[in-house]
Amino acid sequence: MQLESGKSFEVRNLIGGTWETGNGHETEPVYDPATGETIAETPLSGRADVDLAVGAAEAAFPAWSKTPVMERARILFRFKALLEEHFEELRDLVTLENGKDKKDAGGEVRRGIEVVEFACGMPTLMMGETVRDVARGVDNISYRYPLGVVAAITPFNFPCMVPLWTLPVAIAAGNAYILKPSERTPLSAQRLGELLAEAGLPDGVFNIVHGGREAVDSILEHPGIEAVSFVGSQPVAEHVYRHGAAHGKRVQALAGAKNSMIVMPDAVLEKAVPNIISSAYGNAGERCLAGSVLVAVGDVADELVRRIGEAASAMKVGPGSEEGSELTPVIRDSHREKVRGYVDAGEEEGATVVLDGREPPLEEGFFMGPTLLDNVTDGMRVAREEIFGPVLSVVRVDSLDEAVEFTNGSSFGNACSIYTENGAAVRHWRENVQAGMLGVNIGVAAPMAFFPFNGIKNSFYGDLHATGKDGVRFFTENKVEAVRWLSEPGTVESIKRPMETGA
Ligand code: NAD
């Protein structure tokens, strides 16, 4: 797949190694957010398509799960090499369908590759445990097994990385996998499917069913699917968790966020401000780890707001594909309207609009300017709801305890950052703040492949998180064996005898 401007793409389901062609689906347009042009149409699959994918995955599972784990890992090593070879192409595809700049898109592909690298260690990761002599002459041994057919449902904002959070781990562990990518960004997932086939993955181990709500509900209700990993907005995550669990599935559902960045009076502002700008406005604020509320502690507030306002208004708004673009478009016009609505609400509720990004700065595409709201207070919608756009709200408080109290008043618990050089303040914050991904002088505490992505409260539904050892446990189940041998070891001759006689 080579990217050319103005080129349109065909989006197809991948079932048992075959890219399906038109079967009368309704479709949803895929836009290039930088131009607003339609670049593809996503087929909206239904129950019958999910049935086909489950059938293909069920057919592939027995042989794949019995393939030695080192052979499975070797395919992932080849996949990793292909991802490196096609790194720039994948990065540009992410920029094209999502709109983010090349640096962010490259970062996303890199983080995804790191999960593949992690999953290449599956022979070690799948090791069980043993305890000898749990009773006299009895040993206990646990073994890890794949679950069977598993599925993942992913969001638009990381079209390459989020599928890669789970697919390498699930597949290396011996499962057969069905991906339902976001209907707004289906292209990267499709390319991953092509590269997996090139790496030698047997047909049916990785399948793609495109679509929206109907495809999701069909996955959740399908008796052939054992586990579902979901990443997306909070209301859908809750629905997926409840509906999937009601149908007997293991579910992990990573949800929305409203992340605070706490700035203490001793923060090193020259370095903190660019970092805060990148957290709040990078990827147009469309990150579940975006800093959305800046909690200014004590007398740092005026200087902080001045510096943030200055730096944000100097950001270069432009397409992600253009060198130097800092503020890229949001995903769709309808989403831009929603973000604008939040700024309107903030203004009506009494926030001070320091920077107003509501007027589109460019004619084409789905661009917004950076918005900075000051004097935001707890009761306002902009203080508590996920906006998912380039809008930063400033809340002023007098102490670290008040900052933590404000943060803990959120129903979400994805991430929180603190800017300070004071270790005691950091410790106090870490011990008391209710968030699962913490950043110290880091505005986006990016997920690492070997740690769990650790949202809490309404940012996560389930028990085992995605990635890291949690991911391995999510996609496997244990058998625990208690073993004892009843006869005496005997002599070499007595051991040989039954084999020789075939007894
Ligand atoms: P979304 O919830 O709209 O869509 C996610 C997936 O759910 C898509 O595949 C979509 O087709 C499907 N879907 C949408 N509406 C549905 C419905 N009513 N019923 C069933 N399925 C439905 O999310 P999005 O807009 O694509 O992604 C942005 C959201 O994802 C933000 O809230 C962001 O915080 C969250 N997110 C969270 C994490 C995390 O790790 N916690 C990571 C990335 C994104």
Side-chain angles (χ1 to χ4, degrees):
M1 188 191 288
Q2 287 305 318
L3 299 188
E4 296 155 27
S5 79
K7 183 182 173 198
S8 64
F9 295 83
E10 235 183 297
V11 182
R12 301 176 185 183
N13 289 345
L14 174 62
I15 309 284
T18 303
W19 294 98
E20 302 277 303
T21 45
N23 30 9
H25 290 108
E26 284 186 22
T27 60
E28 171 95 15
V30 179
Y31 300 107
D32 172 353
T35 61
E37 273 170 35
T38 302
I39 51 172
E41 294 282 342
T42 304
L44 297 176
S45 307
R47 215 155 286 266
D49 304 288
V50 172
D51 264 346
L52 287 175
V54 174
E58 278 174 340
F61 175 70
W64 180 243
S65 60
K66 288 187 173 59
T67 301
V69 62
M70 283 164 71
E71 285 180 32
R72 297 199 302 253
R74 262 178 222 131
I75 290 177
L76 282 182
F77 275 109
R78 286 202 286 276
F79 181 47
K80 138 92 180 161
L82 287 168
L83 291 171
E84 296 289 0
E85 197 182 309
H86 294 273
F87 184 89
E88 287 178 4
E89 179 201 338
L90 285 161
R91 177 199 65 191
D92 293 349
L93 201 50
V94 169
T95 293
L96 176 73
E97 65 176 341
N98 171 278
K100 66 180 71 174
D101 67 43
K102 284 190 182 198
K103 188 163 159 280
D104 263 39
E108 142 159 25
V109 177
R110 178 57 53 205
R111 293 282 97 76
I113 291 176
E114 285 167 3
V115 186
V116 180
E117 290 165 351
F118 171 79
C120 285
M122 197 51 73
T124 311
L125 293 167
M126 274 192 92
M127 278 180 182
E129 295 176 313
T130 59
V131 177
R132 47 174 284 280
D133 277 346
V134 289
R136 282 183 184 75
V138 178
D139 302 326
N140 255 26
I141 309 167
S142 72
Y143 300 88
R144 283 194 183 282
Y145 289 81
L147 301 176
V149 179
V150 299
I153 300 157
T154 55
F156 80 82
N157 65 328
F158 284 92
C160 184
M161 180 185 77
V162 172
L164 287 175
W165 275 355
T166 53
L167 89 80
V169 175
I171 285 175
N175 297 285
Y177 182 98
I178 299 170
L179 177 62
K180 206 301 287 169
S182 169
E183 64 276 40
R184 292 182 271 184
T185 52
L187 304 178
S188 303
Q190 192 149 294
R191 192 69 186 111
L192 294 178
E194 290 170 355
L195 295 178
L196 278 166
E198 207 177 319
L201 191 73
D203 292 347
V205 176
F206 176 75
N207 307 276
I208 303 177
V209 176
H210 290 288
R213 187 181 185 145
E214 194 188 335
V216 170
D217 283 343
S218 307
I219 286 171
L220 297 174
E221 290 161 19
H222 203 292
I225 296 175
E226 302 298 327
V228 176
S229 175
F230 172 88
V231 181
S233 61
Q234 185 277 328
V236 184
E238 189 172 348
H239 163 72
V240 166
Y241 183 68
R242 287 178 187 278
H243 203 59
H247 285 84
K249 293 186 200 329
R250 184 182 287 198
V251 184
Q252 61 179 195
L254 288 70
K258 186 75 182 175
N259 307 316
S260 292
M261 296 182 282
I262 298 172
V263 183
M264 298 296 286
D266 71 329
V268 182
L269 289 189
E270 311 79 77
K271 292 188 177 157
V273 166
N275 196 258
I276 290 166
I277 291 283
S278 146
S279 175
Y281 301 112
N283 200 358
E286 292 175 332
R287 290 189 190 126
C288 67
L289 291 177
S292 176
V293 182
L294 193 59
V295 188
V297 179
D299 60 10
V300 76
D302 288 342
E303 177 63 6
L304 184 63
V305 171
R306 189 187 65 73
R307 286 187 187 226
I308 296 281
E310 233 174 64
S313 54
M315 289 182 86
K316 181 169 179 254
V317 181
S321 57
E322 260 177 44
E323 220 45 61
S325 293
E326 292 169 307
L327 186 51
T328 49
V330 298
I331 190 72
R332 284 191 173 194
D333 202 26
S334 54
H335 186 58
R336 179 164 64 176
E337 281 312 306
K338 189 175 157 200
V339 176
R340 278 195 194 127
Y342 272 111
V343 182
D344 294 345
E347 191 173 32
E348 278 157 27
E349 289 174 349
T352 313
V353 184
V354 178
L355 259 185
D356 189 346
R358 281 173 286 194
E359 271 306 305
L362 297 176
E363 259 174 40
E364 279 194 327
F366 312 136
F367 290 92
M368 295 190 74
T371 294
L372 181 62
L373 302 175
D374 196 2
N375 300 308
V376 169
T377 54
D378 198 354
M380 297 181 188
R381 288 179 64 204
V382 288
R384 289 305 179 202
E385 295 178 25
E386 182 176 50
I387 300 174
F388 226 56
V391 178
L392 180 62
S393 300
V394 182
V395 171
R396 294 170 177 240
V397 298
D398 291 327
S399 66
L400 175 57
D401 279 332
E402 265 184 70
V404 169
E405 196 185 322
F406 169 81
T407 302
N408 293 353
S410 173
S411 60
F412 295 108
N414 223 31
C416 182
S417 299
I418 190 166
Y419 292 87
T420 182
E421 295 300 299
N422 183 325
V426 170
R427 187 169 196 286
H428 182 75
W429 161 80
R430 183 188 70 223
E431 293 300 305
N432 292 289
V433 79
Q434 294 167 358
M437 302 288 283
L438 303 180
V440 179
N441 296 310
I442 290 175
V444 176
M448 290 288 120
F450 29 87
F451 278 105
F453 188 105
N454 220 64
I456 59 174
K457 294 170 81 176
N458 285 356
S459 293
F460 179 72
Y461 296 85
D463 305 290
L464 292 166
H465 290 81
T467 68
K469 289 181 201 152
D470 265 23
V472 178
R473 289 179 64 202
F474 182 78
F475 286 113
T476 54
E477 61 194 353
N478 282 341
K479 288 183 187 173
V480 181
E481 183 184 52
V483 190
R484 81 174 161 176
W485 302 104
L486 300 177
S487 49
E488 293 302 315
T491 60
V492 171
E493 282 67 30
S494 69
I495 291 171
K496 267 188 185 161
R497 215 173 302 128
M499 288 170 70
E500 281 164 3
T501 58

